[in-house]
């Protein structure tokens, strides 16, 4: 046979490539099985500890679980598995090439809901409300009659709301330009002479951007409860997102996370020196059993903290370093509490290992601990694992002390951001995220940055800190740049988050189902049986038709 050697070489090469690709699945499966065993042990330990607190305990994701409930162990186990796998994300797990678990998982085979179980969620973006929120005045008669008529037809027959709205406008407002119904002074791409086609193009672009932004927000939120390979599909024709969450069983938590408002907010940060005296009290108090008889009146007045702040920050003779003002070892005396769970990282953040995150959450939610801090202090976690010990390279979560204004509202919010995009700082040679504010947002941002030169500002969503950049100087003109150690993908993610945060249309869950792995197990079993039966038939046929030669061939 000609070229026999070539075909043998090609066969061996293809076999090696297939085995190499499948090896990522074998490695990731091994890590996940190991994580499952560790999670089982941790659930048992947590259950023993919970016996002293009416069988209630906090999981690593901050969710409270009651072990009296029949599904509690399953929920707790899933939470611990997610925590363990997130900790493994940046650790080398491939024994030959040293790939980290995150990369190995991305290259492994993706198993669907039928094989591992989980949840399937259908979400819908409300395009009618998106159109309404760009209106000049939603109560204006000319807009309202068109909107109500379009909404009635849309609810009755479905279809494309923007097309229905424009058609109703031409029917009911024959002598009025479409742009007159919208807030064109605040929309840069539109003007008083904009054509109906230009208005439609603007609405279509916002619809498309909204879909991308919501998908990014959902992806971020899903990462918060640790799904390794979520599947998110967009259907622009129906304005729906179809989300599959393999391995997730906690329906209540999923619904809460996915439906909560995508509220992007910019907050100022306290340094831990500025709240040092309160933190020290909390550390000492956390070593004692919770005092549930705390009255709300014990909460410190925010004005006291404001006076304290100016003294601590401006008086260099009294301000100490973070390590000096928060000597956690001295405060804890090895008796546990916050002092043994939290370590100083830098002036704006403390560090907590992922194993201790749930315990710190539980302590900070105690009434007696909350009463120690002023109402203007709110603690928020970093969205991802960060380095909390630069000598040992240990990873953990950063805990920020957020400065909340007296009215409870952020100085700058998602509605103040017009757009966000990726950029590049040629002087610093760094990837950046470039922001453009609205007219009102520009004024707010200029004042906020002027008040926080050489300080940190946190960009948050759903009480999670996604970025905490330092302000180098007052920023005017409505444009700003967030720089950091971004990869291009991280910069795109943050830009998507910022664009999504200013989304003026809500999302609702239209359908939510819980899927068990039994379907996949049944199909796999049936497939093996049918395969064995077919193989047996082939063997019998070969023997019957070819005789002894058939036996040899078999």
């Amino acid at each position: 046979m000609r070229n026999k050697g070539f075909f043998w070489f090609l066969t061996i090469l293809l076999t090696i490539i297939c085995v190499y690709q499948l090896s990522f699945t074998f490695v990731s499966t091994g890590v996940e099985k190991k994580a499952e065993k560790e999670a089982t042990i941790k659930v048992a330990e947590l259950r023993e500890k919970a016996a002293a607190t009416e069988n209630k305990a906090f999981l690593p994701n901050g969710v409270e679980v009651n072990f009296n409930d029949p599904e509690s162990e399953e929920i707790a186990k899933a939470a611990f598995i997610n925590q363990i796998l997130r900790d493994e994300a940046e650790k080398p797990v491939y024994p030959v090439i040293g790939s980290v678990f995150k990369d190995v998982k991305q290259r492994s085979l993706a198993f669907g809901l039928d094989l591992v179980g989980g949840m399937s969620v259908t979400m819908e973006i409300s395009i009618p409300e998106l159109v309404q929120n760009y209106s000049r005045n939603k109560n204006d008669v000319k807009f309202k009659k068109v909107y109500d008529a379009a909404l009635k037809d849309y609810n009755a027959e479905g279809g494309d709301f923007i097309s229905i709205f424009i058609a109703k406008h031409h029917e009911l407002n024959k002598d009025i330009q479409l742009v007159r119904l919208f807030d064109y002074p605040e929309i840069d791409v539109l003007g008083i002479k904009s054509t109906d086609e230009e208005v439609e193009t603007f609405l279509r672009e916002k619809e498309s951007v909204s879909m991308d932004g919501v998908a990014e927000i959902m992806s971020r939120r899903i990462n918060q409860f640790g799904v390794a390979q979520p599947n998110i599909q967009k259907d622009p024709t129906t304005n729906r997102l179809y989300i599959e969450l393999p391995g997730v069983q906690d329906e209540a938590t999923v619904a809460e996370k996915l439906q909560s408002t995508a509220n992007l907010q910019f907050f100022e940060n306290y340094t831990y020196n500025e709240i040092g005296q309160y933190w020290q009290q909390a550390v000492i108090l956390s070593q004692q059993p919770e005092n549930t008889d705390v009255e709300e009146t014990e909460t410190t007045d925010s004005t006291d903290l404001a006076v304290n702040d100016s003294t601590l920050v401006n008086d260099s003779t009294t301000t100490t370093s973070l390590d000096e003002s928060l000597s956690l070892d001295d405060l804890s005396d090895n008796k546990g509490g916050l002092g043994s769970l939290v370590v100083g990282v830098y002036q704006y953040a403390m560090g907590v290992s992922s194993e201790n995150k749930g315990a710190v959450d539980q302590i900070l939610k105690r009434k007696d601990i909350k009463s120690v801090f002023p109402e203007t202090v709110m603690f928020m976690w970093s969205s991802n694992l960060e380095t909390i010990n630069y000598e040992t390279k240990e990873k953990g979560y950063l805990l920020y002390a957020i400065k909340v204004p007296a009215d409870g509202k952020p100085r700058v919010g998602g509605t103040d951001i017009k757009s966000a995009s990726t950029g590049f700082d040629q002087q610093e040679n760094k990837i950046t995220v470039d922001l453009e504010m609205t007219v009102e947002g520009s004024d707010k941002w200029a004042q906020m940055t002027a008040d926080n030169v050489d300080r940190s500002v946190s960009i948050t969503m759903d009480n999670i800190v996604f970025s905490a950049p330092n302000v180098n100087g007052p920023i005017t003109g409505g444009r700003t740049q967030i720089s950091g150690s971004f990869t291009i993908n991280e910069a795109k993610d943050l830009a998507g988050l910022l664009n999504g945060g200013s989304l003026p249309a809500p999302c609702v869950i239209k359908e939510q189902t819980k899927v068990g792995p039994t379907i996949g197990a049944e199909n796999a079993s049936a497939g093996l049986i049918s395969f064995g039966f077919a193989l047996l038939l082939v063997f019998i046929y070969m023997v019957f038709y070819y005789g002894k030669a058939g036996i040899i061939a078999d």
Side-chain angles (χ1 to χ4, degrees):
M1 180 179 177
R2 293 182 179 181
N3 299 322
K4 182 178 180 180
F6 169 75
F7 285 111
W8 271 110
F9 169 76
L10 187 61
T11 301
I12 294 171
L13 180 62
L14 290 175
T15 302
I16 292 173
I17 292 174
C18 290
V19 171
Y20 173 72
Q21 291 297 331
L22 289 174
S23 68
F24 290 99
T25 302
F26 298 145
V27 172
S28 63
T29 301
V31 173
E32 288 169 348
K33 287 182 177 179
K34 183 180 177 182
E36 186 174 358
K37 291 179 180 178
E38 291 181 18
T40 302
I41 296 172
K42 290 190 175 185
V43 170
E45 293 174 349
L46 183 64
R47 182 158 196 161
E48 289 180 7
K49 294 179 181 178
T53 56
E54 300 180 345
N55 280 334
K56 294 180 180 180
F58 282 92
L59 300 176
N61 57 8
V63 174
E64 186 179 28
V65 65
N66 187 340
F67 282 104
N68 294 320
D69 298 335
E71 294 185 350
S72 59
E73 288 200 15
E74 184 181 355
I75 294 171
K77 185 177 179 180
F80 277 111
I81 290 175
N82 291 335
Q83 176 220 354
I84 294 168
L85 293 181
R86 289 189 70 182
D87 292 347
E88 294 287 333
E90 300 296 336
K91 295 181 180 179
V93 295
Y94 201 105
V96 179
I97 59 178
S99 296
V100 298
F101 176 71
K102 180 175 66 175
D103 295 335
V104 170
K105 187 63 181 176
Q106 288 176 347
R107 299 183 66 174
S108 65
L109 295 177
F111 297 108
L113 297 180
D114 55 345
L115 293 177
V116 296
M119 290 188 61
S120 176
V121 182
T122 300
M123 304 196 71
E124 184 175 284
I125 300 173
S126 177
I127 299 303
E129 292 190 47
L130 182 144
V131 172
Q132 184 183 60
N133 286 330
Y134 280 109
S135 66
R136 193 169 188 178
N137 182 354
K138 66 180 182 180
N139 295 318
D140 178 68
V141 176
K142 296 182 179 64
F143 176 84
K144 196 172 187 304
K145 66 181 181 181
V146 173
Y147 181 82
D148 290 344
L151 187 62
K152 183 178 179 181
D153 285 2
Y154 177 74
N155 290 334
E157 302 176 5
D160 179 10
F161 180 81
I162 294 177
S163 297
I164 297 172
F165 180 85
I166 294 174
K168 287 295 180 183
H169 167 72
H170 291 156
E171 178 186 336
L172 301 174
N173 291 329
K174 296 181 180 179
D175 300 326
I176 301 174
Q177 287 179 290
L178 181 60
V179 73
R180 296 277 186 172
L181 302 183
F182 293 91
D183 193 15
Y184 60 84
E186 288 293 328
I187 303 173
D188 285 350
V189 296
L190 297 180
I192 194 171
K193 296 182 180 180
S194 294
T195 63
D196 290 1
E197 290 74 18
E198 289 173 335
V199 175
E200 181 177 2
T201 299
F202 165 76
L203 293 175
R204 298 286 182 198
E205 289 176 353
K206 287 300 178 183
E207 180 182 22
S208 175
V209 169
S210 297
M211 179 68 75
D212 293 337
V214 169
E216 177 60 35
I217 289 173
M218 293 307 152
S219 179
R220 289 269 183 171
R221 290 180 177 179
I222 290 167
N223 288 337
Q224 292 303 309
F225 40 84
V227 178
Q229 288 181 316
N231 180 25
I232 303 177
Q233 295 181 341
K234 295 180 287 186
D235 186 357
T237 59
T238 59
N239 302 312
R240 288 189 173 187
L241 294 174
Y242 300 96
I243 305 172
E244 291 185 351
L245 307 173
V248 172
Q249 300 297 329
D250 187 358
E251 294 183 68
T253 301
V254 169
E256 180 184 353
K257 291 286 186 183
L258 295 185
Q259 286 193 118
S260 61
T261 305
N263 195 9
L264 188 75
Q265 299 174 320
F266 287 60
F267 285 107
E268 298 164 294
N269 291 342
Y270 283 118
T271 68
Y272 276 89
N273 287 330
E274 293 169 349
I275 63 167
Q277 57 178 311
Y278 309 110
W279 182 262
Q280 290 173 6
Q281 293 176 41
V283 169
I284 297 172
L285 194 60
S286 66
Q287 299 167 21
Q288 306 165 7
E290 180 178 3
N291 177 11
T292 57
D293 297 328
V294 177
E295 298 291 337
E296 294 295 330
T297 53
E298 293 181 18
T299 303
T300 308
D301 195 318
S302 59
T303 55
D304 295 337
L305 182 61
V307 174
N308 234 357
D309 289 350
S310 60
T311 305
L312 287 168
V313 174
N314 298 326
D315 188 350
S316 60
T317 61
T318 60
T319 301
T320 58
S321 68
L322 178 64
D323 292 335
E324 293 172 336
S325 63
L326 293 175
S327 180
L328 298 178
D329 292 337
D330 294 339
L331 287 169
S332 64
D333 291 329
N334 297 319
K335 294 180 181 179
L338 288 174
S340 62
L341 300 173
V342 181
V343 296
V345 178
Y346 74 111
Q347 60 178 334
Y348 291 104
M350 305 290 280
V352 179
S353 67
S354 55
E355 293 84 0
N356 294 329
K357 181 173 178 285
V360 173
D361 254 337
Q362 187 175 7
I363 291 173
L364 293 177
K365 288 177 181 178
R366 282 171 41 174
K367 289 183 179 180
D368 55 347
I369 298 293
K370 291 171 69 175
S371 69
V372 168
F373 295 97
E375 294 178 345
T376 56
V377 177
M378 177 186 293
F379 292 100
M380 294 186 188
W381 295 103
S382 62
S383 61
N384 296 314
L385 291 169
E386 306 284 352
T387 301
I388 61 174
N389 188 317
Y390 290 96
E391 293 183 0
T392 63
K393 305 299 181 183
E394 180 186 0
K395 296 281 187 177
Y397 290 93
L398 297 181
L399 182 64
Y400 296 90
I402 302 299
K403 184 185 294 185
V404 181
D407 60 3
K409 299 178 181 179
R411 295 181 63 174
V412 179
T415 55
D416 296 314
I417 298 172
K418 181 183 293 183
S419 64
S421 60
T422 58
F424 189 79
D425 188 339
Q426 295 183 347
Q427 292 182 345
E428 298 291 333
N429 199 33
K430 289 183 178 180
I431 297 172
T432 62
V433 176
D434 300 337
L435 305 179
E436 183 179 358
M437 302 286 181
T438 63
V439 175
E440 183 179 359
S442 298
D443 296 336
K444 294 180 183 178
W445 184 235
Q447 186 60 51
M448 184 175 180
T449 52
D451 295 342
N452 287 275
V453 175
D454 295 328
R455 291 182 64 89
S456 176
V457 175
S458 285
I459 302 172
T460 74
M461 188 180 72
D462 297 337
N463 294 333
I464 297 292
V465 177
F466 284 90
S467 179
N470 288 321
V471 178
N472 297 323
I475 301 171
T476 59
R479 294 181 181 274
T480 188
Q481 192 177 72
I482 301 175
S483 60
S485 301
F486 295 123
T487 64
I488 185 63
N489 289 331
E490 289 172 340
K492 286 180 179 179
D493 286 347
L494 185 55
L497 171 68
L498 295 172
N499 284 325
S502 59
L503 181 69
C507 285
V508 293
I509 291 180
K510 303 296 289 186
E511 185 179 359
Q512 177 178 318
T513 56
K514 190 175 180 180
V515 181
T518 54
I519 298 176
E522 291 172 358
N523 289 340
S525 177
L528 286 174
I529 294 172
S530 62
F531 172 76
F533 184 71
L535 187 63
L536 180 61
L537 285 178
V538 172
F539 284 167
I540 294 172
Y541 174 79
M542 293 286 287
V543 172
F544 175 78
Y545 191 81
Y546 292 104
K548 292 181 179 181
I551 296 175
I552 296 172
D554 288 339

